[in-house]
Amino acid sequence: MKNFILYLSIISVLSWNSYAQKNKITSADKNYNTYAYIDAIKTYERVAEKGYKSVDMFQKLGNAYYFNSELEKAAKWYGELFAMAPDQEPEYLYRYAQSLKSIGKTDKANEIMEQFQQKSGNDKRGDLFEKNKNYLDVIKANSGRFKIEDAGINSKYSDYGSSFYGNKLVFASARDTGSLAQRKHSWNDQYFTNLYVSDLGKEMSPGAVNKFSKKVKSRFHESTPTFTKDGKTMYFTRNNFLDGKKGKDGKRITLIKIYKATFENKDWANITELPFDSNSYSTAHPTLSPDEKTLYFASDMPGTMGQSDLFKVTINADGSFGTPENLGPAINTEGKETFPFFTDENELYFASDGHPGLGGLDVFVTQLNADGTFGEVQNVGDGVNSPKDDFAYLIDTKSRRGFVTSNRDGGQGYDDIYKTLETRKIKCEQELYGTVTDLATGQILPNAKVTLLDNSYNILNTTISDPAGNYTFAVECGKNYIVRAVKPEYTTKEIKIAIPMVNNEKTRLDIPLEKEKCQVAIGDDLGKCFGIKMIYFDLDKYNIRQEAALDLEKILDVMNQNPTMKIDVRSHTDSRQTHKYNEVLSDNRAKSTINWLIKNGIDKSRLTGKGYGETQLINKCADGVKCTEEEHQLNRRSEFIITAL
């Protein structure tokens, strides 16, 4: 924009045009002749009641009861969790607070919620600081995505605010049409703007420019129209002027309003102002949501956070309107937000000088989520944006072609309309996929409910694993997500995943689920019920460590619940060290494990075992074979083979 004072008035050349461009566990003990069903959660609980402590165990216990609405028990185990390890993810604070509220401990719940708010970063000032520190790097990453050129319809005056109308482009212009009735401002020799139209040809190139409609044209400004898909209704911006009468506010300033017109008898008629318009504030730059049930617009009406904000209003089935709502701090700032445009992909583009940009007004985009909230606001980058004012962006999502208005250097007039071609979408996208399986058996699990959540535990998407146990989500590069899998008879599991900053790639995340009741038979490894792969000992030693005792407590509990069960304890090593050394070490470890179980009440007649050293490797990693640490780890395992039930 040129350097003159901006007003929301008749002398502002239509205000927010280019001169002021203002997001149960249901338990059932089942026993069969040949199978035993092991309730992992109950085992965790009995182990915990003995005084054994583990962050992972307390998290599982709290979550198991929380997800099944047994909040009193959830509160107990979350309490143990925070007593042991206070530094937990904010979501655990939230769940603990909700559980406390359910049992009447409101004061304690409020105390936990205060910690949640502090830790979750709800302070808006902190959010802005964190988001804005490296904004130039973000803009740079979003740049280089557009080809841009003069639209071929510009004059030496102001041309701006274009809109699609079928296969036509409608825009505002202050060009001199040669009419004796055309009026100029004496202070800048600019004409009032009117609407013009141009047919769109190949590659959306505009053709000859013609006047849009005499019925819409007034003595003052018209601009920024938006049309319904059927072409029968138009909303547009005009100075406060209707039926030959000019409205003014208390300071005798003529502001701007949104008007509605209908297409009848081959022209526009029935021009009326919208019911939420006012002589005391301005409304401008309307755009329709994809379903045409909501009108978005810019205004400085009461409730505005900055100089101008974006609002929305419901269009009822009978044509009436609801009450305008401010889009809130996710979108609006203390500066100017203006010129909204909605795509059929539920993206909201708008201009702002309050969000970090390159200078003047910049074009930004955000995604409307399924729950009505808006996603992250992103600067669309250099190309569309410049150090000057850039606004009124629109795009055809199929061809990725569109238009933007700018007063950047090198233009023909005060403001010019430029053609754009987006060569790469702003979102770096990937496919997050994986397979849901049984932790113990590796069996695929179809019909599991898999939910994608953001880092604040807001649900983004939900799917069901297919017959092959597979799931997939579209995700954004460089972001952190949480994937939650739920299936009857299995413990709910949440896994965090960071998506690499590589476009059009795939990230795999398999989800092994632990059964609440683990079915075992003679010959099965009882340790698989609890994901026990190895019993931990100090290097080259065979005394039972605390981590090993926690896992052995689980085996102990199951054997106490199943008094006829017998176990063969088998200890294995990797191929490093000599055969003799590994055989002795593994045998001593097997004996230590058996002795621990006997010491804790299991009759020795129920236990057998030995060490197998490196004689039963499960992969290629024999002597002299180069393997990774992870591959060697697979061979260092402990097995609890059921020999009788």
Side-chain angles (χ1 to χ4, degrees):
M1 282 312 304
K2 307 309 176 188
N3 295 320
F4 39 72
I5 299 175
L6 311 179
Y7 294 99
L8 291 173
S9 67
I10 191 172
I11 62 170
S12 68
V13 191
L14 197 54
S15 185
W16 301 322
N17 68 4
S18 56
Y19 305 99
Q21 297 93 356
K22 300 220 199 196
N23 225 323
K24 202 172 216 198
I25 298 174
T26 301
S27 298
D29 293 329
K30 299 180 181 179
N31 292 285
Y32 296 98
N33 293 332
T34 57
Y35 296 104
Y37 290 82
I38 311 306
D39 188 329
I41 292 301
K42 288 298 182 185
T43 290
Y44 290 147
E45 194 162 18
R46 286 188 288 264
V47 168
E49 295 288 7
K50 283 189 173 184
Y52 286 86
K53 297 182 178 182
S54 160
V55 169
D56 177 70
M57 184 169 63
F58 289 151
Q59 288 176 341
K60 285 183 175 178
L61 283 168
N63 288 343
Y65 290 119
Y66 183 86
F67 288 131
N68 288 284
S69 300
E70 295 186 54
L71 299 182
E72 183 173 358
K73 292 181 179 179
K76 172 185 176 180
W77 294 116
Y78 284 143
E80 292 287 347
L81 172 64
F82 283 98
M84 180 181 181
D87 188 20
Q88 297 295 316
E89 294 291 331
E91 183 63 14
Y92 283 99
L93 286 165
Y94 178 80
R95 293 174 187 170
Y96 187 26
Q98 295 299 97
S99 301
L100 289 169
K101 287 180 183 178
S102 73
I103 57 177
K105 295 186 178 181
T106 306
D107 291 340
K108 179 67 173 177
N110 290 339
E111 176 185 328
I112 298 299
M113 280 302 297
E114 288 179 3
Q115 296 178 35
F116 169 75
Q117 290 172 342
Q118 293 171 2
K119 196 168 185 178
S120 63
N122 286 337
D123 188 311
K124 181 64 178 177
R125 293 168 296 183
D127 288 345
L128 287 174
F129 174 75
E130 289 298 322
K131 291 178 180 178
N132 294 347
K133 283 193 298 186
N134 301 311
Y135 73 91
L136 288 175
D137 292 337
V138 174
I139 294 174
K140 182 179 180 181
N142 291 340
S143 297
R145 303 185 304 109
F146 294 93
K147 292 181 179 179
I148 187 163
E149 59 182 304
D150 189 291
I153 54 174
N154 294 304
S155 68
K156 64 179 181 179
Y157 301 102
S158 186
D159 303 281
Y160 70 96
S162 53
S163 177
F164 293 128
Y165 177 39
N167 62 347
K168 302 176 185 292
L169 188 73
V170 181
F171 61 97
S173 178
R175 66 188 62 198
D176 181 4
T177 63
S179 169
L180 294 176
Q182 191 79 348
R183 303 170 64 246
K184 290 184 178 180
H185 291 297
S186 60
W187 59 279
N188 68 352
D189 201 35
Q190 282 282 296
Y191 294 103
F192 285 98
T193 59
N194 295 127
L195 298 180
Y196 291 82
V197 62
S198 174
D199 290 334
L200 293 173
K202 185 179 178 181
E203 297 183 345
M204 256 184 217
S205 296
V209 175
N210 297 292
K211 296 178 183 178
F212 178 66
S213 171
K214 291 183 179 180
K215 297 290 184 70
V216 173
K217 180 179 180 295
S218 73
R219 295 169 54 199
F220 300 104
H221 293 292
E222 283 81 33
S223 76
T224 55
T226 190
F227 302 88
T228 54
K229 295 183 183 73
D230 62 10
K232 295 180 180 180
T233 303
M234 170 177 65
Y235 300 92
F236 66 100
T237 309
R238 176 195 275 179
N239 275 117
N240 189 353
F241 184 85
L242 186 63
D243 298 330
K245 296 180 180 179
K246 182 170 63 175
K248 299 179 181 180
D249 67 3
K251 297 180 180 179
R252 300 186 61 78
I253 297 174
T254 300
L255 303 178
I256 52 178
K257 295 182 177 182
I258 298 173
Y259 292 83
K260 176 182 177 181
T262 56
F263 194 75
E264 298 178 5
N265 299 320
K266 299 183 179 181
D267 207 346
W268 294 96
N270 304 318
I271 298 174
T272 57
E273 66 176 85
L274 300 190
F276 51 84
D277 286 339
S278 171
N279 289 341
S280 301
Y281 54 79
S282 288
T283 55
H285 314 317
T287 187
L288 287 163
S289 62
D291 62 7
E292 301 185 348
K293 294 180 180 180
T294 306
L295 188 74
Y296 291 79
F297 62 96
S299 180
D300 62 346
M301 65 174 57
T304 299
M305 302 170 60
Q307 296 176 47
S308 67
D309 284 2
L310 298 187
F311 290 78
K312 67 177 181 178
V313 63
T314 300
I315 303 174
N316 301 315
D318 61 359
S320 61
F321 292 84
T323 302
E325 300 176 44
N326 191 297
L327 295 192
I331 303 295
N332 294 313
T333 69
E334 292 78 8
K336 294 190 289 281
E337 279 68 49
T338 186
F339 287 100
F341 172 72
F342 243 106
T343 73
D344 56 7
E345 295 180 343
N346 277 327
E347 288 180 317
L348 174 63
Y349 289 88
F350 63 96
S352 171
D353 64 3
H355 291 276
L358 295 175
L361 288 169
D362 271 21
V363 176
F364 295 83
V365 64
T366 182
Q367 182 78 40
L368 178 63
N369 300 319
D371 61 0
T373 61
F374 286 97
E376 179 186 5
V377 172
Q378 296 190 72
N379 187 299
V380 302
D382 195 3
V384 162
N385 289 323
S386 72
K388 298 294 182 71
D389 284 329
D390 309 286
F391 56 99
Y393 178 79
L394 70 157
I395 185 173
D396 170 66
T397 57
K398 305 299 185 294
S399 67
R400 309 311 295 179
R401 296 183 182 275
F403 298 88
V404 68
T405 302
S406 178
N407 69 339
R408 65 188 62 191
D409 295 338
Q412 297 187 41
Y414 282 76
D415 297 300
D416 292 298
I417 299 172
Y418 293 85
K419 280 179 57 181
T420 65
L421 172 61
E422 185 184 58
T423 58
R424 172 174 57 88
K425 286 190 175 183
I426 193 169
K427 287 183 180 178
C428 172
E429 295 180 328
Q430 278 201 32
E431 179 183 296
L432 174 62
Y433 74 106
T435 305
V436 185
T437 60
D438 184 297
L439 173 67
T441 67
Q443 178 184 358
I444 62 173
L445 296 179
N447 301 316
K449 181 181 179 182
V450 187
T451 302
L452 181 71
L453 306 97
D454 65 18
N455 219 27
S456 298
Y457 288 83
N458 298 307
I459 294 175
L460 302 176
N461 203 350
T462 299
T463 190
I464 302 296
S465 60
D466 67 17
N470 298 321
Y471 74 93
T472 182
F473 292 114
V475 293
E476 292 185 42
C477 310
K479 287 196 172 184
N480 296 322
Y481 293 92
I482 298 158
V483 180
R484 178 188 297 160
V486 181
K487 187 173 175 63
E489 300 183 2
Y490 287 85
T491 301
T492 296
K493 187 167 188 175
E494 291 178 348
I495 305 177
K496 291 188 174 182
I497 181 73
I499 307 301
M501 199 67 192
V502 183
N503 202 10
N504 298 320
E505 293 290 339
K506 294 183 178 182
T507 296
R508 186 180 185 105
L509 178 65
D510 293 330
I511 308 175
L513 292 183
E514 184 177 4
K515 262 200 170 183
E516 292 174 353
K517 294 178 177 61
C518 179
Q519 179 178 305
V520 293
I522 292 174
D524 288 343
D525 182 358
L526 178 60
K528 289 183 177 179
C529 279
F530 305 99
I532 300 173
K533 295 180 179 179
M534 62 183 295
I535 295 298
Y536 289 90
F537 297 86
D538 288 326
L539 182 65
D540 295 334
K541 295 182 179 179
Y542 44 87
N543 54 296
I544 302 297
R545 288 169 48 179
Q546 182 66 23
E547 302 98 306
L550 176 60
D551 279 337
L552 288 177
E553 277 287 351
K554 301 168 189 175
I555 303 299
L556 177 65
D557 181 81
V558 172
M559 295 192 75
N560 285 334
Q561 301 303 312
N562 298 269
T564 61
M565 179 183 286
K566 293 183 179 181
I567 296 293
D568 184 47
V569 179
R570 302 175 184 179
S571 178
H572 304 268
T573 69
D574 59 40
S575 63
R576 294 176 288 190
Q577 284 285 356
T578 67
H579 278 272
K580 184 65 177 177
Y581 181 91
N582 286 331
E583 183 179 346
V584 172
L585 179 63
S586 63
D587 198 56
N588 285 335
R589 287 180 172 179
K591 288 176 181 177
S592 292
T593 301
I594 292 171
N595 289 337
W596 188 94
L597 291 169
I598 293 172
K599 181 179 178 181
N600 283 276
I602 301 300
D603 192 282
K604 65 181 180 179
S605 65
R606 299 172 62 192
L607 299 165
T608 57
K610 64 175 289 188
Y612 292 83
E614 59 181 281
T615 63
Q616 295 184 4
L617 301 175
I618 60 174
N619 57 26
K620 65 179 182 180
C621 300
D623 290 338
V625 177
K626 186 176 182 180
C627 290
T628 65
E629 180 60 35
E630 290 76 14
E631 289 173 320
H632 282 302
Q633 176 69 67
L634 294 174
N635 291 314
R636 296 198 305 273
R637 65 197 190 278
S638 297
E639 298 172 325
F640 299 85
I641 306 302
I642 299 170
T643 58
L645 279 172

